[in-house]
């Protein structure tokens, strides 16, 4: 049995190695050294997305600038949805999601999983979009900017 699994794994790796790789640049002529997404065969790997400011007029060091976990989750998932749409995909094509949550100072440094779920369930498990991805969620020490509480990356599959 082990031999069959090993052969199947090697065939999968060989097929992947022969698949076409397409790299999507970051928007706006960015020179930041990552791709927005990479497509290998039918798999689309979306780089982690972080929230847009909830209130750009607020002090950048305030909680109001980025918003709470629910607001940040909605912002990030809307960005992912738009990026997938530009590639001819939708949220129903997402098969794997990795969620990084920073502890919220308003919750004594604990991640706001309830707030995340309030945002998440606006995009997944609805009547309009019932497909659910496999998902992992982690509390992490921090993200690129103070006040950011959410980063999400996904893998989608072309039908």
């Amino acid at each position: 049995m082990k031999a069959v699994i090993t052969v199947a794994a090697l065939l999968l790796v060989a097929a992947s190695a022969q698949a076409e790789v397409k790299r999507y640049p970051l928007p706006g002529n960015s020179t930041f050294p990552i791709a927005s997404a990479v497509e290998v065969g039918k798999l689309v790997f979306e780089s982690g997305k972080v929230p847009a400011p909830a209130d750009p007029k607020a002090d950048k060091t305030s909680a109001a600038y980025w918003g709470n976990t629910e607001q940040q989750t909605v912002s990030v998932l809307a960005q992912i949805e738009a990026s997938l749409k530009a590639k001819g995909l939708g949220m129903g094509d997402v098969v794997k999601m990795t969620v990084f949550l920073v502890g919220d100072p308003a919750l004594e440094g604990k991640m706001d999983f309830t707030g995340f779920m309030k945002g998440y369930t606006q995009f997944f498990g609805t009547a309009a979009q019932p497909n659910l991805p496999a998902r992992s969620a982690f509390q992490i020490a921090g993200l690129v900017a103070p006040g950011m509480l959410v980063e999400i990356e996904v893998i989608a599959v072309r039908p």
Side-chain angles (χ1 to χ4, degrees):
M1 186 62 160
K2 271 188 176 180
V4 172
I5 292 171
T6 302
V7 170
L10 289 173
L11 289 172
L12 181 61
V13 169
S16 296
Q18 295 175 2
E20 181 180 335
V21 176
K22 182 175 182 179
R23 298 174 197 282
Y24 296 88
L26 289 173
N29 297 324
S30 174
T31 59
F32 197 72
I34 65 169
S36 172
V38 176
E39 189 166 346
V40 181
K42 290 186 169 203
L43 297 175
V44 178
F45 300 84
E46 287 282 336
S47 284
K49 307 280 190 270
V50 293
D55 182 359
K57 294 178 182 174
D59 180 340
K60 288 185 179 183
T61 62
S62 72
Y65 184 77
W66 295 109
N68 63 28
T69 299
E70 179 182 357
Q71 291 168 311
Q72 291 189 34
T73 299
V74 170
S75 173
V76 171
L77 291 175
Q79 289 178 58
I80 290 170
E81 184 174 51
S83 183
L84 290 171
K85 185 177 180 181
K87 296 171 187 73
L89 297 164
M91 295 301 253
D93 298 312
V94 173
V95 295
K96 176 66 173 106
M97 176 183 289
T98 307
V99 180
F100 304 97
L101 299 171
V102 175
D104 188 337
L107 297 175
E108 299 177 359
K110 294 183 176 101
M111 69 179 181
D112 181 6
F113 192 73
T114 300
F116 163 73
M117 286 301 294
K118 286 179 182 177
Y120 172 84
T121 55
Q122 294 177 40
F123 294 83
F124 293 94
T126 67
Q129 201 301 93
N131 295 346
L132 301 174
R135 189 186 79 202
S136 300
F138 303 93
Q139 179 168 335
I140 60 170
L143 289 168
V144 69
M148 282 185 180
L149 302 172
V150 179
E151 180 170 345
I152 301 173
E153 62 185 28
V154 301
I155 300 170
V157 176
R158 287 201 181 277

